[in-house]
PDB file of all heavy atoms in Angstrom:
ATOM      1  N   VAL A  49      89.034 106.068  91.537  1.00 87.00           N
ATOM      2  CA  VAL A  49      87.739 106.121  92.213  1.00 87.00           C
ATOM      3  C   VAL A  49      87.905 106.428  93.700  1.00 87.00           C
ATOM      4  O   VAL A  49      86.980 106.911  94.359  1.00 87.00           O
ATOM      5  CB  VAL A  49      86.973 104.795  92.009  1.00 87.00           C
ATOM      6  CG1 VAL A  49      87.574 103.677  92.843  1.00 87.00           C
ATOM      7  CG2 VAL A  49      85.496 104.948  92.357  1.00 87.00           C
ATOM      8  N   MET A  90     115.790  83.425  76.870  1.00 95.00           N
ATOM      9  CA  MET A  90     115.234  84.605  77.530  1.00 95.00           C
ATOM     10  C   MET A  90     115.011  85.731  76.531  1.00 95.00           C
ATOM     11  O   MET A  90     113.963  86.391  76.527  1.00 95.00           O
ATOM     12  CB  MET A  90     116.158  85.072  78.654  1.00 95.00           C
ATOM     13  CG  MET A  90     115.937  84.374  79.979  1.00 95.00           C
ATOM     14  SD  MET A  90     114.300  84.695  80.694  1.00 95.00           S
ATOM     15  CE  MET A  90     114.362  86.457  80.925  1.00 95.00           C
ATOM     16  N   ILE A 113     114.134  95.843  76.783  1.00 96.00           N
ATOM     17  CA  ILE A 113     115.516  95.906  76.323  1.00 96.00           C
ATOM     18  C   ILE A 113     115.606  95.459  74.867  1.00 96.00           C
ATOM     19  O   ILE A 113     116.581  95.763  74.174  1.00 96.00           O
ATOM     20  CB  ILE A 113     116.462  95.074  77.204  1.00 96.00           C
ATOM     21  CG1 ILE A 113     116.213  93.565  77.025  1.00 96.00           C
ATOM     22  CG2 ILE A 113     116.349  95.463  78.666  1.00 96.00           C
ATOM     23  CD1 ILE A 113     117.287  92.712  77.667  1.00 96.00           C
ATOM     24  N   LEU A 151     123.484  96.731  80.637  1.00 95.00           N
ATOM     25  CA  LEU A 151     123.822  96.936  82.045  1.00 95.00           C
ATOM     26  C   LEU A 151     124.534  98.261  82.288  1.00 95.00           C
ATOM     27  O   LEU A 151     124.707  98.654  83.449  1.00 95.00           O
ATOM     28  CB  LEU A 151     124.677  95.775  82.548  1.00 95.00           C
ATOM     29  CG  LEU A 151     123.934  94.442  82.696  1.00 95.00           C
ATOM     30  CD1 LEU A 151     124.894  93.328  83.102  1.00 95.00           C
ATOM     31  CD2 LEU A 151     122.803  94.554  83.728  1.00 95.00           C
ATOM     32  N   LEU A 156     117.680 101.839  81.579  1.00 95.00           N
ATOM     33  CA  LEU A 156     117.207 100.464  81.668  1.00 95.00           C
ATOM     34  C   LEU A 156     117.397  99.847  83.039  1.00 95.00           C
ATOM     35  O   LEU A 156     116.492  99.184  83.563  1.00 95.00           O
ATOM     36  CB  LEU A 156     117.926  99.592  80.627  1.00 95.00           C
ATOM     37  CG  LEU A 156     117.575  99.816  79.153  1.00 95.00           C
ATOM     38  CD1 LEU A 156     118.443  98.933  78.261  1.00 95.00           C
ATOM     39  CD2 LEU A 156     116.097  99.539  78.902  1.00 95.00           C
ATOM     40  N   GLN A 186      89.558  93.762  79.674  1.00 93.00           N
ATOM     41  CA  GLN A 186      89.881  93.238  78.344  1.00 93.00           C
ATOM     42  C   GLN A 186      91.385  93.238  78.104  1.00 93.00           C
ATOM     43  O   GLN A 186      91.945  92.256  77.590  1.00 93.00           O
ATOM     44  CB  GLN A 186      89.172  94.100  77.282  1.00 93.00           C
ATOM     45  CG  GLN A 186      89.342  93.615  75.859  1.00 93.00           C
ATOM     46  CD  GLN A 186      88.679  94.546  74.853  1.00 93.00           C
ATOM     47  OE1 GLN A 186      88.059  95.552  75.216  1.00 93.00           O
ATOM     48  NE2 GLN A 186      88.808  94.229  73.577  1.00 93.00           N
ATOM     49  N   SER A 250      61.368  78.250 112.811  1.00 88.00           N
ATOM     50  CA  SER A 250      60.595  79.308 112.151  1.00 88.00           C
ATOM     51  C   SER A 250      61.243  80.676 112.375  1.00 88.00           C
ATOM     52  O   SER A 250      61.291  81.510 111.462  1.00 88.00           O
ATOM     53  CB  SER A 250      59.157  79.320 112.672  1.00 88.00           C
ATOM     54  OG  SER A 250      59.134  79.483 114.079  1.00 88.00           O
ATOM     55  N   ASP A 295      67.903  93.542 114.818  1.00 85.00           N
ATOM     56  CA  ASP A 295      66.496  93.907 114.966  1.00 85.00           C
ATOM     57  C   ASP A 295      65.638  92.664 115.163  1.00 85.00           C
ATOM     58  O   ASP A 295      64.759  92.618 116.034  1.00 85.00           O
ATOM     59  CB  ASP A 295      66.010  94.668 113.724  1.00 85.00           C
ATOM     60  CG  ASP A 295      66.683  96.024 113.560  1.00 85.00           C
ATOM     61  OD1 ASP A 295      67.309  96.492 114.536  1.00 85.00           O
ATOM     62  OD2 ASP A 295      66.595  96.603 112.468  1.00 85.00           O
ATOM     63  N   PHE A 299      63.399  91.421 118.532  1.00 88.00           N
ATOM     64  CA  PHE A 299      61.955  91.167 118.421  1.00 88.00           C
ATOM     65  C   PHE A 299      61.627  89.731 118.818  1.00 88.00           C
ATOM     66  O   PHE A 299      60.698  89.487 119.619  1.00 88.00           O
ATOM     67  CB  PHE A 299      61.476  91.434 116.990  1.00 88.00           C
ATOM     68  CG  PHE A 299      60.046  91.060 116.757  1.00 88.00           C
ATOM     69  CD1 PHE A 299      59.027  91.956 117.066  1.00 88.00           C
ATOM     70  CD2 PHE A 299      59.697  89.802 116.264  1.00 88.00           C
ATOM     71  CE1 PHE A 299      57.693  91.603 116.878  1.00 88.00           C
ATOM     72  CE2 PHE A 299      58.370  89.445 116.088  1.00 88.00           C
ATOM     73  CZ  PHE A 299      57.364  90.351 116.389  1.00 88.00           C
ATOM     74  N   GLU A 314      49.796  85.543 119.116  1.00 92.00           N
ATOM     75  CA  GLU A 314      49.395  86.885 118.707  1.00 92.00           C
ATOM     76  C   GLU A 314      49.657  87.903 119.824  1.00 92.00           C
ATOM     77  O   GLU A 314      50.127  89.021 119.569  1.00 92.00           O
ATOM     78  CB  GLU A 314      47.902  86.902 118.325  1.00 92.00           C
ATOM     79  CG  GLU A 314      47.566  86.273 116.989  1.00 92.00           C
ATOM     80  CD  GLU A 314      47.671  84.762 117.013  1.00 92.00           C
ATOM     81  OE1 GLU A 314      47.716  84.185 118.133  1.00 92.00           O
ATOM     82  OE2 GLU A 314      47.729  84.142 115.938  1.00 92.00           O
ATOM     83  N   ILE A 328      64.144  99.730 118.701  1.00 86.00           N
ATOM     84  CA  ILE A 328      64.632  99.303 117.388  1.00 86.00           C
ATOM     85  C   ILE A 328      64.687 100.490 116.432  1.00 86.00           C
ATOM     86  O   ILE A 328      65.636 100.637 115.654  1.00 86.00           O
ATOM     87  CB  ILE A 328      63.741  98.177 116.812  1.00 86.00           C
ATOM     88  CG1 ILE A 328      63.978  96.872 117.570  1.00 86.00           C
ATOM     89  CG2 ILE A 328      64.023  97.963 115.332  1.00 86.00           C
ATOM     90  CD1 ILE A 328      63.092  95.718 117.108  1.00 86.00           C
ATOM     91  N   MET A 394      73.676  86.819 133.876  1.00 86.00           N
ATOM     92  CA  MET A 394      73.390  88.247 133.962  1.00 86.00           C
ATOM     93  C   MET A 394      73.241  88.711 135.416  1.00 86.00           C
ATOM     94  O   MET A 394      73.669  89.807 135.782  1.00 86.00           O
ATOM     95  CB  MET A 394      72.110  88.575 133.178  1.00 86.00           C
ATOM     96  CG  MET A 394      72.270  88.466 131.666  1.00 86.00           C
ATOM     97  SD  MET A 394      73.566  89.554 130.996  1.00 86.00           S
ATOM     98  CE  MET A 394      74.762  88.335 130.425  1.00 86.00           C
ATOM     99  N   ALA A 398      75.519  91.545 137.178  1.00 92.00           N
ATOM    100  CA  ALA A 398      74.885  92.688 137.841  1.00 92.00           C
ATOM    101  C   ALA A 398      75.359  92.808 139.284  1.00 92.00           C
ATOM    102  O   ALA A 398      75.686  93.912 139.761  1.00 92.00           O
ATOM    103  CB  ALA A 398      73.368  92.552 137.786  1.00 92.00           C
ATOM    104  N   THR A 454     112.423  95.931  90.093  1.00 91.00           N
ATOM    105  CA  THR A 454     112.238  97.376  90.224  1.00 91.00           C
ATOM    106  C   THR A 454     111.118  97.680  91.201  1.00 91.00           C
ATOM    107  O   THR A 454     110.342  96.795  91.575  1.00 91.00           O
ATOM    108  CB  THR A 454     111.911  98.007  88.858  1.00 91.00           C
ATOM    109  OG1 THR A 454     111.906  99.427  88.965  1.00 91.00           O
ATOM    110  CG2 THR A 454     110.546  97.565  88.342  1.00 91.00           C
ATOM    111  N   GLN A 490     118.987 109.885  97.218  1.00 95.00           N
ATOM    112  CA  GLN A 490     118.045 109.839  98.337  1.00 95.00           C
ATOM    113  C   GLN A 490     117.759 108.394  98.749  1.00 95.00           C
ATOM    114  O   GLN A 490     117.594 107.518  97.896  1.00 95.00           O
ATOM    115  CB  GLN A 490     116.738 110.549  97.970  1.00 95.00           C
ATOM    116  CG  GLN A 490     116.913 111.991  97.571  1.00 95.00           C
ATOM    117  CD  GLN A 490     117.744 112.774  98.566  1.00 95.00           C
ATOM    118  OE1 GLN A 490     117.412 112.871  99.737  1.00 95.00           O
ATOM    119  NE2 GLN A 490     118.860 113.321  98.087  1.00 95.00           N
ATOM    120  N   GLY A 512     132.032 110.507  68.415  1.00 89.00           N
ATOM    121  CA  GLY A 512     132.685 109.242  68.110  1.00 89.00           C
ATOM    122  C   GLY A 512     132.610 108.225  69.226  1.00 89.00           C
ATOM    123  O   GLY A 512     133.504 107.375  69.342  1.00 89.00           O
ATOM    124  N   MET A 569     107.596 108.501 101.867  1.00 92.00           N
ATOM    125  CA  MET A 569     107.194 109.102 100.595  1.00 92.00           C
ATOM    126  C   MET A 569     106.863 110.581 100.770  1.00 92.00           C
ATOM    127  O   MET A 569     107.255 111.420  99.952  1.00 92.00           O
ATOM    128  CB  MET A 569     105.981 108.364 100.019  1.00 92.00           C
ATOM    129  CG  MET A 569     106.262 106.960  99.542  1.00 92.00           C
ATOM    130  SD  MET A 569     104.771 106.227  98.784  1.00 92.00           S
ATOM    131  CE  MET A 569     105.268 104.512  98.670  1.00 92.00           C
ATOM    132  N   MET A 610      86.879 113.095 108.095  1.00 83.00           N
ATOM    133  CA  MET A 610      85.982 112.292 108.922  1.00 83.00           C
ATOM    134  C   MET A 610      85.862 112.819 110.341  1.00 83.00           C
ATOM    135  O   MET A 610      84.906 112.482 111.044  1.00 83.00           O
ATOM    136  CB  MET A 610      86.443 110.837 108.940  1.00 83.00           C
ATOM    137  CG  MET A 610      86.150 110.067 107.653  1.00 83.00           C
ATOM    138  SD  MET A 610      84.445 110.270 107.058  1.00 83.00           S
ATOM    139  CE  MET A 610      83.503 109.728 108.468  1.00 83.00           C
ATOM    140  N   ALA A 628      64.832 111.066 122.764  1.00 74.00           N
ATOM    141  CA  ALA A 628      64.180 109.762 122.864  1.00 74.00           C
ATOM    142  C   ALA A 628      64.091 109.277 124.303  1.00 74.00           C
ATOM    143  O   ALA A 628      63.065 108.709 124.725  1.00 74.00           O
ATOM    144  CB  ALA A 628      64.926 108.741 122.012  1.00 74.00           C
ATOM    145  N   THR A 715      73.473  89.764 120.611  1.00 82.00           N
ATOM    146  CA  THR A 715      73.592  90.582 119.398  1.00 82.00           C
ATOM    147  C   THR A 715      75.018  91.085 119.212  1.00 82.00           C
ATOM    148  O   THR A 715      75.507  91.172 118.080  1.00 82.00           O
ATOM    149  CB  THR A 715      72.621  91.770 119.451  1.00 82.00           C
ATOM    150  OG1 THR A 715      72.831  92.515 120.677  1.00 82.00           O
ATOM    151  CG2 THR A 715      71.169  91.308 119.398  1.00 82.00           C
ATOM    152  N   LEU A 754      80.379  97.141 132.188  1.00 93.00           N
ATOM    153  CA  LEU A 754      81.239  97.364 133.350  1.00 93.00           C
ATOM    154  C   LEU A 754      81.501  98.831 133.682  1.00 93.00           C
ATOM    155  O   LEU A 754      81.921  99.133 134.802  1.00 93.00           O
ATOM    156  CB  LEU A 754      82.580  96.646 133.145  1.00 93.00           C
ATOM    157  CG  LEU A 754      82.506  95.129 132.947  1.00 93.00           C
ATOM    158  CD1 LEU A 754      83.904  94.552 132.815  1.00 93.00           C
ATOM    159  CD2 LEU A 754      81.757  94.463 134.096  1.00 93.00           C
TER     160      LEU A 754
END
Side-chain angles (χ1 to χ4, degrees):
V49 73
M90 274 296 298
I113 70 169
L151 290 176
L156 290 176
Q186 184 183 358
S250 57
D295 294 346
F299 174 85
E314 285 73 15
I328 288 177
M394 290 301 113
T454 188
Q490 302 310 301
M569 291 184 192
M610 285 312 303
T715 54
L754 301 182

